[in-house]
Amino acid sequence: MGLKELCASLGQTVQGTPRVEVEGERLVIERHKGVRAYSTTCIRVDCPGGEVCIEGEGLTLEALSRAEVSVHGAVARVSWKDSGG
């Protein structure tokens, strides 16, 4: 499954999960609860029901607000970890 397919499935499979949008080297996550971990190779974002993990190179937080998290850089992988609750 490619990055765009994963992002589409995240928004469609569970109502209330984050909305993930990818535009070139910019990735935006809506409906988040904060950033858990941050480095230039991995950013972990806390979301209702789990966590979005963004892996890549040269990752930076372009914007962080209550509404969204915007990440810029060479994104290699986006994964979802269910909180199990």
Side-chain angles (χ1 to χ4, degrees), residues 5-9 15 19-20 23 38 41 43-44 46 54 59 63-64 69 74 79-80 84:
E5 291 84 7
L6 173 66
C7 292
S9 70
Q15 191 174 35
R19 179 177 181 273
V20 180
E23 298 174 359
Y38 169 71
T41 58
I43 298 176
R44 294 172 38 211
D46 189 22
I54 305 147
L59 301 178
L64 175 61
V69 173
S79 59
W80 171 257

Side-chain angles (χ1 to χ4, degrees), residues 1-31 47 51-55 69 71 75-80:
M1 178 182 308
L3 180 60
K4 287 188 178 185
E5 291 84 7
L6 173 66
C7 292
S9 70
L10 280 175
Q12 293 174 358
T13 56
V14 180
Q15 191 174 35
T17 59
R19 179 177 181 273
V20 180
E21 182 178 312
V22 180
E23 298 174 359
E25 288 197 344
R26 182 172 183 252
L27 182 141
V28 176
I29 301 173
E30 296 176 354
R31 295 188 287 271
C47 298
E51 173 183 280
V52 173
C53 181
I54 305 147
E55 298 174 81
V69 173
V71 175
V75 176
R77 181 177 169 190
V78 178
S79 59
W80 171 257

